[in-house]
Amino acid sequence: MDMFNLLSRGASINRRGKDAKTFDVLMGKSATSNIAEEKKKKADLARTLDFFNETPVQEVQDKRENDENDDENNDDDSDDDDSDSDSEDKKAPLVISTKQQAEEQRQRLDTKVRGDDLPLPIGSFQDLRTRFNLHKHLLRNLERQNFQRPTPIQAEAMPILLHGRDLVACAPTGSGKTLAFAVPIVQALKQHEGGGIRCLVVTPTKELATQIYGQFVKLSQGRDLHICVLNKSQAAKFANETNKRKFDIMISTPLRLLALTNQGKLDLSRVKHVVLDEVDKLFEQGFIQQTDSILEQCTAPDVQRAMFSATIPSGVEEIAGNIMVSPVRVIVGKKEGANTQIEQRIVYTGSEHGKLIEMRRMLQEGELEPPVIVFLQSVARAKALYHELIYDGVNVDVIHGERTQRQRDRVIERFKNGDIWVLICTDVLARGIDFRGVSLVINYDVPESAQAYVHRIGRTGRAGRTGKAITFYTKEDAVGIKAVVNVMKQSGSDVPEWMLSMRKATNDEKKRLRFKPVERDEISTVAKRKRDNEKDKKKNKKKKSDGKDGKDGNNDNDGTDETMKKKRTGEKSKESEK
């Protein structure tokens, strides 16, 4: 205290005002509370910077437990919620050994299973080891990726596939469907054999194929399995006979795969496992003929087929019933419902210009908390909005079908790294791509169907996290918005009563929307400025040229007449030479 008085002599210190905290620390008071406050600030900062939640879950939990031990007086409501969820997990059995336990788990996880001679679900990954002798490398790889406990779809799908059954699985976006089929396949294939492709995974997009490839590589560490994603460079190598027998697992889009098989460069007769991911898209017009041709070429008598998606229409189930043998049907939650972890909202903007106004309002008021994904219905509109937001100084990029694969991969990588805060895209990224930390999805244009809506907003709220989804609509969307309203109601979101009474779209209107999207006005302000500038430039040029004409008078006409005469005489001389 004497030292403090000596050092502070002649200084003005407000012991109860702005200098109170500093004074308390120097006097040894409230040290614990200050330390706790600092830790909270650091944790908040880390959480803010960790856009995509790359910090392992276990590490975060350990850190939180240490902080709680340091500060015994810190009682928070969120800790009570965590303890409640932990107690529920402890009550759930780790091993499912009876039908009664299976039914209780299915009711608790809102899972519906239908089929003959149903296998029991699993209660934990250790349960897989007990019942199916899960390889130790596979279990270790699951632990390395911090998979603590199977999700509802994994709990049902894994034992079904390990029993060799055909499967149709429908589960919300971000619920771990890739892991649900990847684990049984890696377990079943064991090691490299060198006879050709034994597992084929078909997806509608290159980005999703690349993502699934990455998951298989992580799971198969420590096992001798050869895996490839069929891209352009890889396809060129299949002219070599050794490459035909090099891989055990192949992930591909339909068209590139058929290009190889039609040329006789790839044989699918030894394929034992076929997975159709995002199967509703693969059975849409434009894909269904390709998918059917691929399935016809998988001629092994004991081939196992599995279909996964977040939305499975009744038409897809009918097709599955025709091509599968005694399939098991698993539905988690609602059949075409959105993830309940996503807060959904609809905003009426009146016009296309109103959408821009709303975007800029959200930007000014800090509602566009990165990372954000914005979906539009066409490439031209995606480009236009990109230029608008660039003009506003937003850290933004765009991805669509006209960009090269290298450009698309680079944009996705930068978005995942947090270098890009707002990503504008078409439906090319609406399916399967796992951006775990996306906080907000904006449907700038109303999607063409309920299925498209579910997949779009599924880029947020993944792996148990919460998310937000906002859909802009105008008077032109009177037909399409009803499908969005129905999904919102089904997933438990608040919907105004007048929206529920809106007219439902007819089947003809739905088909028309799929093949001919709503005609919309241009995304305008930057484009309008450019057009105005170009008009001004043309006017100025015209004025300048008119001024020159006025100065030269009739001389220009005389000159042109003389040049015409010269041309005619030149032509005549050429004819005479001939």
Side-chain angles (χ1 to χ4, degrees):
M1 183 62 186
D2 293 338
M3 182 59 71
F4 177 73
N5 288 331
L6 180 65
L7 291 172
S8 62
R9 186 173 295 165
S12 176
I13 297 174
N14 188 352
R15 300 188 182 190
R16 294 187 180 179
K18 62 178 183 178
D19 303 318
K21 287 185 179 179
T22 307
F23 184 74
D24 285 344
V25 171
L26 288 169
M27 297 301 294
K29 296 178 183 177
S30 306
T32 308
S33 61
N34 284 322
I35 291 168
E37 191 177 334
E38 283 300 315
K39 284 184 176 177
K40 187 176 183 299
K41 285 180 181 177
K42 286 180 181 177
D44 290 341
L45 179 63
R47 203 179 301 116
T48 304
L49 295 175
D50 187 19
F51 288 156
F52 290 94
N53 299 306
E54 296 294 337
T55 307
V57 176
Q58 190 61 45
E59 185 180 321
V60 172
Q61 289 175 345
D62 293 342
K63 193 173 181 182
R64 186 178 63 195
E65 286 171 7
N66 292 335
D67 290 346
E68 286 172 358
N69 291 333
D70 291 340
D71 185 17
E72 296 177 358
N73 296 323
N74 187 16
D75 294 328
D76 199 295
D77 293 338
S78 62
D79 295 337
D80 295 338
D81 294 339
D82 291 340
S83 63
D84 290 342
S85 62
D86 290 341
S87 63
E88 282 183 15
D89 288 341
K90 286 175 183 176
K91 287 178 185 176
L94 296 175
V95 176
I96 306 294
S97 55
T98 66
K99 287 186 178 180
Q100 183 180 348
Q101 286 178 327
E103 276 306 311
E104 288 173 357
Q105 176 167 295
R106 284 165 182 161
Q107 286 180 8
R108 181 167 50 83
L109 300 178
D110 192 19
T111 305
K112 292 172 278 294
V113 186
R114 193 176 70 192
D116 300 328
D117 192 20
L118 298 175
L120 295 176
I122 57 170
S124 64
F125 291 121
Q126 290 292 341
D127 197 2
L128 276 179
R129 186 171 187 178
T130 307
R131 287 168 53 186
F132 300 99
N133 195 24
L134 192 72
H135 198 279
K136 59 182 180 180
H137 286 299
L138 195 49
L139 196 60
R140 191 183 305 130
N141 292 335
L142 288 169
E143 290 170 356
R144 281 176 183 168
Q145 295 182 65
N146 294 302
F147 292 118
Q148 306 294 328
R149 196 158 189 169
T151 62
I153 187 61
Q154 292 165 4
E156 294 289 347
M158 286 181 182
I160 290 168
L161 293 175
L162 285 167
H163 273 99
R165 302 286 299 276
D166 286 356
L167 172 66
V168 179
C170 179
T173 53
S175 59
K177 293 186 286 293
T178 302
L179 199 71
F181 62 76
V183 168
I185 287 169
V186 173
Q187 173 71 4
L189 296 183
K190 295 181 180 178
Q191 60 185 8
H192 178 61
E193 288 187 359
I197 306 295
R198 291 184 289 154
C199 169
L200 177 64
V201 181
V202 184
T203 75
T205 66
K206 300 172 188 175
E207 287 77 17
L208 182 54
T210 303
Q211 183 175 288
I212 293 170
Y213 166 77
Q215 187 64 72
F216 268 107
V217 169
K218 288 177 184 176
L219 284 175
S220 61
Q221 286 177 4
R223 307 199 73 180
D224 184 26
L225 284 174
H226 296 189
I227 306 161
C228 82
V229 58
L230 190 61
N231 52 32
K232 191 175 181 180
S233 61
Q234 194 64 254
K237 297 175 184 177
F238 270 81
N240 189 336
E241 190 66 30
T242 56
N243 272 336
K244 293 181 182 180
R245 301 179 180 276
K246 183 178 179 180
F247 298 105
D248 302 292
I249 301 171
M250 175 178 283
I251 304 104
S252 176
T253 53
L255 199 58
R256 195 172 294 282
L257 183 66
L258 283 176
L260 279 185
T261 58
N262 292 340
Q263 294 169 19
K265 295 179 180 178
L266 184 64
D267 180 21
L268 302 179
S269 62
R270 291 191 77 252
V271 171
K272 298 289 182 71
H273 307 273
V274 178
V275 178
L276 303 181
D277 199 14
E278 305 296 344
V279 64
D280 57 325
K281 185 69 176 177
L282 291 172
F283 281 155
E284 278 185 3
Q285 194 69 30
F287 273 115
I288 188 168
Q289 293 87 356
Q290 300 168 17
T291 307
D292 189 47
S293 178
I294 290 167
L295 292 172
E296 282 180 358
Q297 295 180 54
C298 300
T299 55
D302 55 346
V303 63
Q304 181 187 38
R305 301 176 181 89
M307 301 179 180
F308 287 81
S309 187
T311 53
I312 297 188
S314 55
V316 173
E317 288 196 63
E318 288 177 18
I319 296 171
N322 293 330
I323 63 176
M324 289 179 160
V325 179
S326 185
V328 179
R329 175 179 178 264
V330 177
I331 295 178
V332 179
K334 303 291 184 182
K335 189 177 171 185
E336 290 187 6
N339 189 337
T340 55
Q341 296 289 99
I342 303 171
E343 178 190 329
Q344 302 169 62
R345 187 158 58 93
I346 297 179
V347 176
Y348 179 69
T349 60
S351 65
E352 288 300 317
H353 186 61
K355 292 180 180 180
L356 274 177
I357 293 171
E358 179 62 16
M359 280 287 286
R360 285 171 176 145
R361 183 199 67 77
M362 293 175 67
L363 187 64
Q364 289 170 0
E365 297 183 8
E367 292 183 30
L368 289 181
E369 184 181 342
V372 178
I373 297 181
V374 185
F375 283 103
L376 292 96
Q377 71 182 30
S378 69
V379 173
R381 288 178 62 76
K383 288 178 180 177
L385 183 61
Y386 167 70
H387 289 298
E388 289 288 339
L389 296 187
I390 278 283
Y391 186 85
D392 291 338
V394 180
N395 186 3
V396 63
D397 210 332
V398 62
I399 188 167
H400 48 71
E402 289 184 3
R403 303 199 77 169
T404 66
Q405 190 60 45
R406 182 176 292 181
Q407 288 174 329
R408 285 156 70 170
D409 292 343
R410 177 64 181 147
V411 171
I412 290 172
E413 183 185 350
R414 290 184 65 218
F415 187 61
K416 285 185 173 181
N417 291 339
D419 298 330
I420 298 168
W421 288 9
V422 178
L423 180 60
I424 296 170
C425 56
T426 57
D427 283 328
V428 71
L429 279 191
R431 288 177 176 265
I433 303 300
D434 187 17
F435 299 121
R436 293 191 180 181
V438 172
S439 62
L440 174 65
V441 168
I442 297 175
N443 289 308
Y444 196 89
D445 296 333
V446 172
E448 64 186 22
S449 65
Q451 290 88 357
Y453 174 73
V454 170
H455 286 281
R456 278 186 182 186
I457 70 171
R459 298 317 98 207
T460 186
R462 301 182 72 82
R465 299 175 178 88
T466 57
K468 291 181 181 179
I470 298 174
T471 301
F472 296 159
Y473 79 104
T474 65
K475 57 187 178 182
E476 285 81 14
D477 297 306
V479 175
I481 197 64
K482 180 62 176 177
V484 175
V485 170
N486 290 341
V487 173
M488 288 177 65
K489 183 188 174 185
Q490 201 174 46
S491 55
S493 298
D494 293 330
V495 183
E497 195 62 36
W498 66 269
M499 283 189 172
L500 295 174
S501 60
M502 292 172 74
R503 183 179 69 84
K504 187 179 178 182
T506 64
N507 289 334
D508 288 339
E509 286 174 331
K510 288 178 183 177
K511 286 180 183 177
R512 207 176 300 126
L513 272 179
R514 285 178 182 272
F515 295 105
K516 188 182 178 183
V518 175
E519 292 183 4
R520 305 181 187 276
D521 293 336
E522 286 184 37
I523 298 175
S524 54
T525 56
V526 170
K528 187 174 182 299
R529 279 192 289 271
K530 284 182 179 179
R531 286 198 303 269
D532 291 343
N533 290 336
E534 286 174 3
K535 284 180 182 177
D536 291 340
K537 285 179 182 178
K538 286 179 181 178
K539 283 180 182 178
N540 292 332
K541 283 182 181 179
K542 194 174 182 182
K543 284 179 182 177
K544 287 179 181 178
S545 62
D546 290 344
K548 285 182 180 178
D549 292 344
K551 287 178 182 178
D552 295 340
N554 295 327
N555 293 336
D556 285 346
N557 294 333
D558 294 338
T560 51
D561 290 340
E562 287 176 8
T563 51
M564 290 297 292
K565 287 175 184 177
K566 287 178 181 178
K567 283 183 181 179
R568 289 195 195 103
T569 54
E571 287 171 1
K572 285 179 181 178
S573 63
K574 285 180 183 178
E575 287 176 4
S576 61
E577 286 173 5
K578 288 179 182 178

